[in-house]
Every structure is written in C-alpha cells, then in structure tokens.
Amino acid sequence: MGDAARALIGSPRTRPALLFALALALYLAPFAVGTEYRLFIATQMAAYVLVAIGLNLLNGYGGQVSLGHGALVAIGAYTVALAMVDHQWSFWPATLLAMVAAAAVGAVMALPAFRLSTWYFALITLGFAEVVGGLLTEWRELTHGFAGVVGIPKPGVLGHTLTSFDLYWLALSLNILALLGMANLLRSRFGRALVAVRDNPVAATAAGVALVRIKMMAFVVSAAMAGLAGALFAVQKTVVTPDDFTADFSIFFLLMVVLGGAGRLWGPVVGAVVFFLVPELLTALQSWRMLIYGVALLLLMLYAPHGLVGAIETGWKRLRTRLGLSNIPPAPSTAIARETVHPIAGAALSVRDVEKRFGGVSALAGVSLDVAAGTTHAIVGPNGSGKTTLLNMISGFYPIDGGAILIDGRSVVGMAPHRIARSGVGRTFQTPRMLPQLSVLDNALLGAFPAERQGAAAAALSLPRARREQMASLGDALRYLDFVGLADRAMEPAGELPHGQQRLAEIARALVGRPRLLLLDEPAAGLSLAELDRLGELIAAIGALGTTVVIVEHHLELVANICRSVTVLERGAVLASGTPAEVFSHEEVIAAYMGSHSSVGQAAS
Ligand code: ADP
Ligand code: MG
C-alpha cells in the first residue's frame, strides 16, 4: 500500500474532504444520469432515509423498538396533502404543521414506553400503526377514505414551481442537514444521555439524567423527522392513499436501520442504499425483495450484529491494525490547566431512624447517622448488613419506609433519584456502572449532564454557546480523569478497562458533577495492595477538595487512615459509631468482624 493511501486511511482529516466530495457528486449526479424515473426513486429514497435517520436515534441510540414509524410518515404525508389540496396552504407551512402533528402524535405514542418493556412497547406501536391505518380509510370526511388525496401540487419557491430535479436537491439537502444535525446531537450531552439510558439506566440516573425526558426527546425528534419525510413523500408522489402506509411500510424502516447498522450514524443511509435502492434499480431482483431482506437479516444477526456499518467498521479496524495505524487516538488537546481542580463546598448529611423492608426482610431497622459537612465518613459492617441499602436510601434509588434524610437540612425523602443527583449527590456502585461502548472520556463527560444547559436544538446546530459549553465540560472531564489517574486511558472504550480502573472512572464521572456529597460503595473491592494505597490517597484528596464523602469499606486500615468518623452496621442496625479509634476498639465490633456472633452474645451477657 502506497504512502498516499496510507495517509488517506490514517488521517481523520481526510474524512470531511471525502464526505464533501460525495455530497458534491450527489448534487451533480442528476446532470449526468438524471432521468425522471431515477430522480423519482432517489427522492423517494431520500425521504425514506430521513425516516430511518430519525428512527435510528430512537432505536439504535435510544434502544426503543418502534414498529409504528410508518404511521408517523402517514400523518406527515396526509397533513401536507390535506392542507395543500383541501385548504390551499403552501408547502412550507404545511410541512411545518406536518412535523408538529407527527411530533405530537409521537409524544403520545411514547407514553406507554415509560411503563412497558421494550417488546410489549414494540407491539403497542404496531397496534398504533394499525389504528392510524384504519383511520385513514374510515374517517372519510377528513381523509377521503380509500381514494386518498389526489392532485397534491408541487412546492413552489417565489413563484417558481419545483421540478423533479429541484425536489431531489431539496431531499438531498434535507438528508445532509439531518445527518449533520444528528452527528452534532449525538456528540452532545443528549447523545451520551441517550446511550446511557439505553445501556445503563441506573448510571444515567445517578448522573442526574431524567430518563423520561430523554426518551421523550428521542421520540419527538424522531417523529418530527418522520413527519418531514411524509411531507416530501406526499409532494413527490402527488397522491397519497391508505395503501401507501400498510404495516410492512413501518417494518421496512426498522429493517433499514437494523440491517444498515443500528446505533451507527451511517447505518440508515447504508441500509437504504443496499436494501431499497439496489433492489429497486435491479428490476430483476424486485420479486425477490422479501427473501433478500430475510436472508440478509439472518446473516447479519449471525455475523454482524451491528449491521453493515458495524461490519465495515470491524473490517476497517483490522485493516488499520495491519497497516500499523491502530493506535488509540490521544485525548483531545488540553489547553486546560489540569492542576486546577476546584474546591467544592461539602454538604452535611443527617440520617434519622431510616427503615427499609424488602418483603419480610428488614434491611434497615432504624438507622441514624450524622456526617459533618466536608468530612469523610465510613460505613462498615458484614455482608448483608444494609450498607448498600443505606446508600440507596440517601440517593433515592429505593423508596424509604420510615425516617428522615436531610442534606444540608433539606429533606430528600420522596425526591426522584435523578433530582437528588442534580442537587449535588454523586455516587458510585458496588459493581461499576459504566457505559462499556463509550470511551472513558465520554463516561466521565456524562457526569457534566446536569450542569450543562444547551438544548437539543442548540446542540444539533452546534451553536457557538453549545460548543463553548462542550469544551468546558471536556476540560472538566479530562481534569478529573487526570485527578483519578486515568488521563492516558481517556479514549479507550470503558468496557475494556479492568474492574479497578472502571471504579476510578466511575469516581471521575461522579466528580465531574461536582458533588457536595459523594457516596462510594466499596471502591477498594478487588484492588491490589498497591492500588489500595493509591485509592486511599485519592479519597483523601477528594476529601481535601471539600466534598463530604460517605464510603462503604471493608478495609479497616484504609478507613482508619482517611475517615473522621465511622458507623458500624449489623443486620440493619447501628452497632457502634464514633471515631475510627473508638469504634475499632469496641468489643462487639471486633467480635462482629471475627464473624463470631455467639461471642457477641457472650460479651453482652
Ligand atoms: P450490604 O451492602 O451491607 O452487603 P445490602 O444493603 O446489599 O447489604 O443488603 C441488606 C439486606 O437487604 C440483605 O438481606 C439483602 O438481601 C436485602 N436486599 C438488598 N437489596 C434488596 C432488594 N433490591 N430486594 C430484596 N432484598 C434486598
Ligand atoms: Mg453492599
């Protein structure tokens, strides 16, 4: 392989140039090969790609299966058709209305998704598509029934009626804008939050992400894009009938996304080209279309679970490895003063008589403890004594059965966990909750979600203020990764880190959220002795920032070194509390730690 080719493959800078060349070729193509029929097919495909790009946001990134997107396209198409034919609207406001209508219906369609599992929800969306299909034929006064709406005029701009060439260019431009917007959106706080909601809702919640809002955003954006595609579809075909929107129309979009590569930016485009355009152009293949889909689905499930784009990515990686270009990219340049990790004002924690039962098990039977602002407190106790449950109560992950929890004097009882997180409570989990496919850096960046203010539109348009905010978050994330000692692994997929380092990454993510209270659940589990020492230093350093730390820990020496106070739990009750020196000389504590409960009984008697 020559140097030029190597440079092409090796440098990410060539990508924009290649994409620009591709776009230019697509804009110019009609002059060379543009027949009416081809333009018709290409424009139709562009409309389909729009739907698929939107569906990919929901399905690929959001993990929600919709078998009803065809109905949203129908709503868009009929809105434009009826507004233009029956009410003489012009195309542009009609399109806006189509997007709003589809988005509104999409929002309603989303509601069951918050209560049902993925597959039940998928069935509901299928039923929804059936209902819309039924309405198209039955609600004759509005929809003209089986006959559909005919004679939809072509859009006009300043008195000029768009030709099929113009329509193709319009559709192509909309696709390019959609891809750019989607790329921006996915790179932003919304992309990370969406993937977090898909891969690890618990981690997302702990980072302050409201699952419902993020899912709703994905539905609304996705539905609006389907509505826009419907508008194009209507003016391109000039006729819409209920027959255009049968159930397989909806399934077709999901196939394009899944076959092309769900959760890959280019997946829907590749899916549409390979599975719509190619069979359409090779007329000999047309009658085989369903068979081709079936076989392709089977093969891809077996050999390329991330679709065609996933398979291409894997091949690309192999090629780069063979050429010796496979180094992990360096972390983004840091014009960032890494040494300046800002102080944080810690919050006081007060837990009063907290109770928690799981069925018949009393996990916490009236636990109280107080942690002064800015100090480090340990919770120790045997397995099953209720330590994790207590952290879950403080962070709101489980509802409380009795008692009170105050953070800086304010009750957090009954608050949703993501709200508690947003109010300044960071936490880690006994088993690290990482987003394994995202880089360590993106995992840390998720922690910035609550502090970031950019809306979805600003993110998709990559407005200057959105970019500034992203740079600031990036600086924070790198700084805290450096703080926990992971800066050099920032660009690696988090799932590839060993367990101990995933814990550190999780701590960095919590720190990026500037927690006033940080809850750490057994951060030392499974660490080597050397790592244990470093962890001790790290937690001491976190304490020195000013944050209040509550740490569940088995290593008593570590506890003695870094904690001002300790609470010992046993079977859901406080066995002892005080300074480490007081507590660890306590006879019952010693006995409990020896695991000999009979000797506790003897000591007490
Ligand atoms: P620790 O963290 O101290 O090891 P836990 O707080 O995890 O202990 O558990 C305390 C008790 O509560 C145990 O008996 C455990 O089985 C029970 N428990 C914890 N979480 C749940 C749950 N989600 N459902 C049912 N029982 C639970
Ligand atoms: Mg535990």
Side-chain angles (χ1 to χ4, degrees), residues 383-384 386-389 430 521-522 552:
N383 273 333
K387 305 181 298 294
T388 297
T389 303
Q430 205 166 332
D521 200 349
E522 302 201 18
V552 170

Side-chain angles (χ1 to χ4, degrees), residues 100-285:
V100 171
V105 174
V108 173
M109 182 170 126
L111 294 177
F114 305 126
R115 302 194 159 268
L116 296 176
S117 74
T118 309
W119 295 107
Y120 279 115
F121 174 70
L123 280 180
I124 297 243
T125 59
L126 188 63
F128 166 82
E130 286 296 319
V131 170
V132 170
L135 282 177
L136 292 184
T137 53
E138 298 306 323
W139 193 356
R140 285 194 203 100
E141 302 76 33
L142 181 71
T143 66
H144 307 251
F146 279 114
V149 188
V150 295
I152 304 163
K154 290 268 181 280
V157 177
L158 305 173
H160 162 74
T161 303
L162 299 191
T163 64
S164 43
F165 280 75
D166 299 330
L167 216 49
Y168 164 80
W169 284 318
L170 172 66
L172 178 62
S173 308
L174 287 174
N175 268 323
I176 291 173
L177 290 177
L179 275 174
L180 287 174
M182 200 53 76
N184 287 336
L185 190 67
L186 291 169
R187 254 199 307 271
S188 78
R189 63 197 289 251
F190 293 104
R192 284 186 291 275
L194 199 58
V195 170
V197 170
R198 177 191 74 190
D199 288 350
N200 204 326
V202 170
T205 304
V209 176
L211 307 187
V212 170
R213 287 185 63 171
I214 290 294
K215 280 193 198 175
M216 192 48 104
M217 178 216 72
F219 265 102
V220 167
V221 172
S222 178
M225 289 180 69
L228 176 62
L232 267 182
F233 187 88
V235 292
Q236 187 229 359
K237 286 196 64 179
T238 66
V239 179
V240 292
T241 68
D243 278 346
D244 293 328
F245 308 105
T246 49
D248 51 349
F249 189 61
S250 283
I251 293 170
F252 166 69
F253 293 117
L254 195 63
L255 272 175
M256 285 200 332
V257 170
V258 172
L259 295 176
R264 302 291 192 272
L265 184 66
W266 288 90
V269 180
V270 172
V273 169
V274 174
F275 296 102
F276 171 72
L277 193 61
V278 172
E280 192 68 43
L281 294 182
L282 305 177
T283 33
L285 281 181

